Amino acid sequence: MYQSFIGLEVHIHLLTKTKVFCGCAAAFGDEPNTHVCPVCLGYPGVLPALNIEAMRMGCTVARSLNCRIPSQTWFERKQYFYPDMTKNYQISQFASPLGQEGYMDLEGKGIRRRVRIRECHLEEDAGKMIHTGTVSLLDYNRAGVSLLEIVTEPDMETGEEAELFIRQLRRLVRYLGVCDGNMEEGSLRADANISINLPGKGLGRKVEIKNLNSSRFVRLGLNYEILRQSALLDQGKAVVQETRLWNENRDQTEPMRQKENAQDYRYFPEPDLPVFIPDAAFLRSVEEALIEAPQDRIRRLQEEYGLSEEQAELVADEKAEADYFEEAAAAAMARGLEKSAASQRICHWLLSDIRHILAREGIPIAAIGTLKLNPRRLAALVVLSAGGQVSGKNAKQAAELVLSGDRDPEDIIREQGWERITDPARIADVVQAVYADEGKIFAEIRSALTGGRDKRGQTLKAYLVGRVLERTGGRADPKIAESRIEELIAGR
Ligand code: ADP
Ligand code: ZN
Ligand code: MG
């Protein structure tokens, strides 16, 4: 058995309106080369200017990852040639990145591990190359878009841990509202580094799997590498230090380029940008942007509301849904429903009916706040059905009418006449009417020695309750109906 070491480099697109060093819109999917200017096209002699919003978002992520923000942070030029980068250097950070020495705790799926964060640094993205047949096209709309790179220490050991790291980080940046986390579209992408060695021998020679655009591929690629590298060492061969790519069609990693020595990028401080010295006001604005971390919230939903780990993970996967849950639970409790009943009922609504509605309407979970069935209205429905004032079926029908009509459930239930009938005298009248039709059945139950407590008797009684419900459009309280039926059977 070998020991494995995994370190991740994750790039996230920050949701700044404009690019990081110029005023061009940071927009995707538009006509190629429509959001460009001399700065992001790298014309000679132009001056970059730092987008403070990008710096703030970057520092917010860094602080959420328990990083220290240095008293001075600056930019360097990272020099290399590539056609998608017109300046022949990328403005990045090297000696004093905006976030340093933090950590993230992995929790869940049987995993508990602290992963140290080496640094978070702000940089500009490159343009996009589009290869079509014999020509290559270049779109510079993406050139200069704010990119935050998060680099971990090689503290993980399995593909599963790395996958969890990506999922937790994705959830965090979405909670913070600084990145949409869309991996397929490249808003969050990862390079995974892995080496193996005999236990106690320290790091091995690393292989980098580049440009992974799903957390699943991170797991699959890394676990594939652990097996491939183990087989090499078993045969007495050495692992070649190289960059590989995950081939999702063949479920394997394949060599991309060899990287014997670290490339020399000739980093030097960017002379056109001043050193950034975060002042008290800036630091305050960063602290104000911090939110309860998703992992803390998942834990709190279990402790405070008694949700199971699975329920809490699902409800709090999106901040908007966790907010909705807590608002609805508070509203239901304010109407007198006990906490654990309120929590369970709301959780069930969220994870079944409301998920279903969102999927049907094509609304992302993050936009749950736009539903006409808002937390207050859901709470009303939950309280009414918990108290037996409306049947479960009618509550669901009412929910649909709330959605289509933008009105309160109490009004809808009253108008539709869906209020539960709980008046014993009214129910007794209906039971009497059923008795007139179904006298034989009453007689059969009565004649049975068990007085209707046997299986057949139960079935027949349920049938009679069903008839009462039928006659009242499902509105009669079934418990009251049943006890009146039993009284009749007993001859009272
Ligand atoms: P490079 O100089 O090749 O960019 P770095 O030291 O900057 O390498 O590390 C890049 C990433 O690779 C980090 O996430 C780090 O944790 C990881 N890493 C570095 N060395 C190893 C190794 N031997 N095995 C596994 N991961 C490693
Ligand atoms: Zn520009
Ligand atoms: Mg490096």
Side-chain angles (χ1 to χ4, degrees):
M1 268 304 274
Y2 301 99
Q3 193 172 353
S4 47
F5 302 91
I6 294 170
L8 297 173
E9 297 163 284
V10 186
H11 289 90
I12 65 169
H13 270 151
L14 296 176
L15 286 170
T16 50
K17 290 198 181 63
T18 55
K19 294 184 179 182
V20 59
F21 300 121
C22 66
C24 292
F28 297 95
D30 291 342
E31 274 293 294
N33 299 309
T34 49
H35 303 301
V36 290
C37 74
V39 174
C40 54
L41 287 175
Y43 283 26
V46 293
L47 286 178
L50 174 64
N51 179 341
I52 188 82
E53 220 26 62
M55 181 58 83
R56 195 187 334 273
M57 287 183 182
C59 288
T60 309
V61 174
R63 288 289 300 123
S64 302
L65 293 171
N66 308 293
C67 287
R68 176 170 60 75
I69 297 175
S71 58
Q72 301 197 347
T73 176
W74 59 86
F75 294 88
E76 273 98 354
R77 292 186 180 182
K78 179 181 182 180
Q79 327 213 45
Y80 63 96
F81 168 78
Y82 209 68
D84 63 8
M85 197 180 60
T86 53
K87 298 195 296 286
N88 286 341
Y89 60 84
Q90 176 192 29
I91 302 179
S92 182
Q93 296 197 288
F94 182 66
S96 186
L98 60 78
Q100 305 175 14
E101 295 171 317
Y103 62 86
M104 181 161 77
D105 288 323
L106 301 182
E107 287 173 80
K109 306 219 164 63
I111 297 169
R112 288 202 163 256
R113 181 183 292 282
R114 175 159 293 187
V115 178
R116 288 170 300 157
I117 307 292
R118 183 182 293 176
E119 62 173 68
C120 303
H121 63 253
L122 186 59
E123 59 190 25
E124 54 181 338
D125 204 351
K128 203 161 131 190
M129 289 236 266
I130 303 142
H131 306 286
T132 60
T134 54
V135 293
S136 287
L137 304 169
L138 279 155
D139 174 8
Y140 290 107
N141 281 353
R142 202 179 65 185
V145 164
S146 344
L147 209 57
L148 186 75
E149 178 170 346
I150 296 139
V151 184
T152 79
E153 295 293 344
D155 288 348
M156 289 161 275
E157 292 187 8
T158 61
E160 284 72 17
E161 289 177 2
E163 179 179 39
L164 186 58
F165 182 93
I166 301 283
R167 297 174 75 114
Q168 284 190 196
L169 180 65
R170 178 177 182 275
R171 185 152 62 197
L172 173 66
V173 297
R174 286 176 58 83
Y175 260 62
L176 288 168
V178 300
C179 174
D180 64 25
N182 193 328
M183 292 192 78
E184 280 135 72
E185 288 174 11
S187 310
L188 190 159
R189 49 189 200 259
D191 302 335
N193 300 272
I194 168 139
S195 69
I196 64 166
N197 211 343
L198 289 168
K201 294 274 185 192
L203 298 173
R205 201 176 292 164
K206 80 168 178 155
V207 162
E208 180 179 17
I209 316 172
K210 261 213 161 323
N211 272 328
L212 293 157
N213 65 353
S214 102
S215 56
R216 200 175 128 253
F217 294 159
V218 169
R219 164 167 55 84
L220 294 174
L222 287 168
N223 286 342
Y224 178 88
E225 274 303 302
I226 291 175
L227 292 177
R228 187 185 70 85
Q229 295 180 22
S230 301
L232 285 172
L233 296 196
D234 283 346
Q235 297 161 31
K237 294 181 185 157
V239 173
V240 178
Q241 179 159 337
E242 63 184 352
T243 301
R244 299 175 73 91
L245 291 176
W246 175 250
N247 183 330
E248 58 180 289
N249 298 315
R250 310 181 74 168
D251 277 340
Q252 62 184 30
T253 65
E254 292 165 358
M256 174 187 167
R257 61 167 182 251
Q258 296 202 349
K259 192 163 154 187
E260 299 289 345
N261 308 302
Q263 279 184 52
D264 189 350
Y265 294 114
R266 297 273 164 157
Y267 281 100
F268 75 84
E270 165 61 60
D272 291 337
L273 283 167
V275 168
F276 183 79
I277 300 172
D279 60 13
F282 175 84
L283 291 174
R284 206 176 319 114
S285 72
V286 169
E287 298 305 316
E288 277 163 9
L290 298 179
I291 37 99
E292 181 183 25
Q295 292 311 113
D296 294 339
R297 190 152 196 189
I298 288 168
R299 216 176 303 114
R300 187 169 61 77
L301 290 186
Q302 294 172 62
E303 286 161 8
E304 203 175 313
Y305 297 91
L307 299 188
S308 70
E309 185 180 343
E310 199 196 346
Q311 287 175 322
E313 287 252 356
L314 286 166
V315 166
D317 194 40
E318 294 279 357
K319 181 172 181 297
E321 192 170 6
D323 290 344
Y324 186 112
F325 170 82
E326 290 204 81
E327 250 182 78
M333 288 187 290
R335 285 165 155 259
L337 191 57
E338 185 261 326
K339 190 172 205 167
S340 75
S343 307
Q344 285 303 322
R345 281 173 181 267
I346 287 163
C347 184
H348 280 128
W349 268 90
L350 277 173
L351 298 183
S352 56
D353 303 78
I354 293 186
R355 286 278 165 113
H356 181 78
I357 289 164
L358 292 171
R360 188 186 69 199
E361 310 286 326
I363 301 169
I365 294 171
I368 191 170
T370 63
L371 281 185
K372 303 277 186 275
L373 182 59
N374 59 30
R376 185 180 51 79
R377 286 170 168 172
L378 178 67
L381 275 177
V382 160
V383 170
L384 291 175
S385 70
Q389 285 117 294
V390 63
S391 70
K393 186 170 157 229
N394 284 156
K396 284 177 194 208
Q397 288 172 311
E400 292 293 346
L401 293 177
V402 171
L403 284 167
S404 57
D406 192 12
R407 293 164 59 235
D408 286 339
E410 294 93 329
D411 296 341
I412 291 168
I413 289 166
R414 198 179 316 111
E415 268 173 32
Q416 299 286 333
W418 285 338
E419 291 144 311
R420 266 272 158 84
I421 301 169
T422 51
D423 174 9
R426 254 182 93 186
I427 291 177
D429 286 347
V430 182
V431 172
Q432 198 59 47
V434 171
Y435 182 75
D437 282 353
E438 309 278 3
K440 267 197 233 141
I441 292 183
F442 279 84
E444 183 182 342
I445 303 174
R446 194 179 291 135
S447 66
L449 289 172
T450 56
R453 279 186 296 278
D454 61 324
K455 199 149 178 250
R456 168 122 182 104
Q458 295 294 343
T459 311
L460 293 174
K461 258 193 285 178
Y463 167 78
L464 294 173
V465 172
R467 294 301 312 271
V468 174
L469 290 175
E470 217 174 270
R471 283 177 172 263
T472 55
R475 291 166 53 225
D477 185 314
K479 286 208 187 74
I480 300 176
E482 185 173 351
S483 64
R484 180 61 203 142
I485 288 166
E486 280 169 350
E487 283 170 6
L488 259 187
I489 290 166
R492 275 179 271 141

